[in-house]
Amino acid sequence: MICRNKLLNNMFFILLIFIVSCSKKDPSKVTITWAVGKDATGAQNKLVDAFLAQNRNINVRVIEMPGSASSQRDSYVTYLAAKDPFIDVYSIDIIWPAEFAASGWILELDKLFSAKEQDKFLPGPIEGCKYKGKIYAVPWFTDAGMLYYRKDLLEKAKLAPPETWTELIKQAGMCQRKYKINGFVFQAQQYEGLVCNFLEYLWSYGGEVLDSNNKPQLNTPPAKQALKTLYDIIHTYKITPEGVLTYQEEESRQVFTSGQAAFLRNWPYAWALGQDETVSKVTGLIGIAPLPGKTKGQGASCLGGWNLAISRFSKHPKEAWKFVEFMTSPEVQMIYAVKGGRLPTRKSIYQDKDILDFAPHYRDFYKVFVNARPRPRTPLYSQISDILQIELHKALTNQQSIDDALENSNRKINTLLKISQQSFEK
Ligand code: GLC
């Protein structure tokens, strides 16, 4: 198996040749500003440097946004609603293209990003970047919820990774008692990540947020079972640390990679950090599996991912497009996959031998990645999610019952949908 450093060196070398052969020498520099979430992987700056080396006439100012997707959206909305031209390229969550396009905040890219080119990308992220048949962003990396587990601990107990929530609860409880570490960590702070986690339970119990007529379905038995399972994991079986209700991705990842938890629900980026000896105490001990379900084979993974969109108010859309094209190129996606553990959005990369040697789970879980389920695609998604974040978190922090949380969510989402006449993307 090719070693990770050698693979990286090779890839940087290829990129360098590409850069040298494409360099331009234009004395007048244009500065574009890229807004992007806090980088947990340490790879983003290297990608920007590579772009700068290739594009001598463009300067890139990187504005680091908060790590939480919800706070990031709030900052973006402040710029965009004010038609502020300061930010040229926005990295946007897969749940925002509909809202940003409907608000007239981002450029339609059909002329630059042809159907033929779109076809080289995974279908889920492409669909997520479309609104009313037009494309508004280029998929940068994709995400799907996964279960990470301590291979060494399960092997000692002769256990296969859990396929149901009941098995997970048992195995996590056993590891917690035996090894005095936390059983299971995930994201339960009041923010978008909590909704992603909840949806994975909801879908695995056969529930939905909205039915095919866009009627909320949260006061249903599957939704109650889903929230009860999540509640019981925290309060009844007590297999999580108390702090889990304040955890986002990085807090939960750090507990796991420091060897303090047996199971972790997270996105694929956690894999690369788990293999990195400078941040992980469990290199070589991590297994990865699809998320459990109510019964075997019924697990569901939430589709996440980030995309690059150009502000409608940008004064430099041409340079912004160059940047977007570069950041989503096959070369950059390869590097970002190995260096940052980010799941590529280009189909071809999943066949690359070096990438598969570095991340063998790409081969095994390609189907999971491709079948990850999207959150409702509507310009109203952020408002629906805000309701869920508040109501679910109140139930999980014992401020209201599970039934009340779901009744309230259903009623509030129903009212929201009734008063807004917005159309939905199917
Ligand atoms: C990840 C996903 C994104 C999701 C967020 C929630 O960044 O890619 O889609 O909304 O996590 O925290």
Side-chain angles (χ1 to χ4, degrees):
M1 186 156 100
I2 191 163
C3 93
R4 184 168 171 230
N5 282 346
K6 196 170 148 210
L7 172 60
L8 267 181
N9 287 343
N10 287 347
M11 292 208 301
F12 275 118
F13 184 64
I14 294 165
L15 191 67
L16 199 66
I17 295 174
F18 182 63
I19 289 163
V20 170
S21 61
C22 303
S23 290
K24 286 194 173 168
K25 290 188 186 79
D26 186 336
S28 59
K29 280 205 178 192
V30 164
T31 297
I32 57 166
T33 303
W34 178 35
V36 60
K38 195 171 164 48
D39 180 22
T41 71
Q44 274 171 20
N45 284 345
K46 294 205 171 68
L47 303 180
V48 172
D49 289 347
F51 174 80
L52 294 176
Q54 181 182 330
N55 293 273
R56 298 284 161 81
N57 56 337
I58 305 177
N59 204 8
V60 180
R61 188 194 287 129
V62 180
I63 302 288
E64 198 171 78
M65 292 284 150
S68 142
S70 307
S71 322
Q72 197 170 338
R73 177 187 165 277
D74 294 345
S75 309
Y76 284 3
V77 171
T78 311
Y79 285 105
L80 290 164
K83 302 191 167 80
D84 193 323
F86 178 59
I87 292 168
D88 299 280
V89 178
Y90 285 89
S91 66
I92 61 172
D93 196 338
I94 192 74
I95 47 189
W96 303 333
E99 177 189 5
F100 287 21
S103 308
W105 290 340
I106 49 180
L107 291 181
E108 185 227 290
L109 300 175
D110 282 76
K111 286 212 181 86
L112 298 166
F113 190 24
S114 66
K116 194 168 159 221
E117 194 56 25
Q118 289 175 32
D119 203 39
K120 297 181 182 157
F121 288 74
L122 299 174
I126 286 289
E127 278 312 301
C129 288
K130 284 188 173 170
Y131 179 63
K132 297 201 167 166
K134 306 263 184 221
I135 193 117
Y136 286 87
V138 183
W140 182 30
F141 65 85
T142 186
D143 265 338
M146 303 295 301
L147 184 72
Y148 294 85
Y149 61 91
R150 284 284 298 278
K151 251 187 344 195
D152 53 331
L153 306 185
L154 292 202
E155 271 163 18
K156 266 190 222 157
K158 298 198 175 24
L159 289 169
E163 291 184 64
T164 64
W165 297 117
T166 312
E167 282 176 7
L168 171 71
I169 291 165
K170 269 197 199 145
Q171 295 188 9
M174 179 278 290
C175 291
Q176 184 165 291
R177 283 187 301 277
K178 203 158 172 187
Y179 301 104
K180 309 276 174 267
I181 56 173
N182 299 291
F184 182 31
V185 285
F186 48 92
Q187 303 79 44
Q189 192 185 108
Q190 184 187 317
Y191 82 118
E192 184 59 36
L194 170 61
V195 177
C196 298
N197 279 256
F198 170 70
L199 289 179
E200 289 167 343
Y201 291 81
L202 179 69
W203 291 328
S204 83
Y205 281 98
E208 296 285 347
V209 177
L210 305 172
D211 69 8
S212 53
N213 298 316
N214 296 321
K215 290 260 169 300
Q217 296 298 309
L218 291 154
N219 54 356
T220 56
K224 286 180 188 169
Q225 280 176 303
L227 187 54
K228 174 136 182 21
T229 302
L230 189 50
Y231 180 94
D232 284 344
I233 282 176
I234 302 171
H235 297 287
T236 311
Y237 302 110
K238 298 186 181 6
I239 52 172
T240 63
E242 274 177 20
V244 78
L245 287 156
T246 64
Y247 283 5
Q248 295 187 9
E249 283 78 3
E250 270 300 88
E251 288 82 7
S252 56
R253 195 276 301 164
Q254 280 159 10
V255 172
F256 183 76
T257 54
S258 66
Q260 289 308 306
F263 293 93
L264 161 73
R265 180 270 173 213
N266 212 322
W267 308 103
Y269 83 96
W271 173 259
L273 291 172
Q275 309 311 311
D276 180 344
E277 279 170 7
T278 59
V279 292
S280 172
K281 290 199 176 135
V282 288
T283 50
L285 303 180
I286 302 176
I288 184 161
L291 286 165
K294 176 187 174 193
T295 54
K296 288 186 191 209
Q298 277 205 324
S301 176
C302 178
L303 175 71
W306 291 78
N307 312 282
L308 300 178
I310 301 176
S311 165
R312 178 168 294 272
F313 316 110
S314 165
K315 299 222 160 72
H316 309 293
K318 249 200 225 150
E319 289 79 7
W321 171 251
K322 274 204 145 192
F323 181 72
V324 170
E325 222 180 1
F326 177 86
M327 292 303 263
T328 55
S329 64
E331 293 76 13
V332 169
Q333 291 211 350
M334 295 255 270
I335 292 171
Y336 210 16
V338 175
K339 186 82 184 100
R342 295 304 194 183
L343 270 192
T345 51
R346 287 181 176 267
K347 294 177 202 162
S348 61
I349 298 176
Y350 291 88
Q351 266 117 53
D352 185 278
K353 189 178 170 306
D354 288 347
I355 293 285
L356 292 174
D357 280 347
F358 167 65
H361 59 281
Y362 279 18
R363 185 186 289 111
D364 302 339
F365 299 124
Y366 184 70
K367 274 200 183 137
V368 176
F369 302 149
V370 171
N371 293 321
R373 294 183 57 167
R375 285 158 274 174
R377 286 179 46 217
T378 156
L380 295 174
Y381 176 76
S382 295
Q383 292 171 64
I384 294 177
S385 173
D386 280 347
I387 296 172
L388 287 171
Q389 290 169 33
I390 294 169
E391 299 300 334
L392 298 173
H393 201 260
K394 267 189 170 174
L396 295 175
T397 48
N398 283 318
Q399 297 179 66
Q400 67 179 348
S401 69
I402 289 173
D403 284 1
D404 285 352
L406 294 168
E407 286 298 334
N408 290 341
S409 302
N410 216 67
R411 181 175 36 77
K412 290 183 180 176
I413 294 174
N414 205 16
T415 312
L416 169 73
L417 298 180
K418 268 197 191 146
I419 54 177
S420 74
Q421 307 267 311
Q422 298 273 9
S423 61
F424 278 73
E425 291 283 293
K426 289 271 157 69

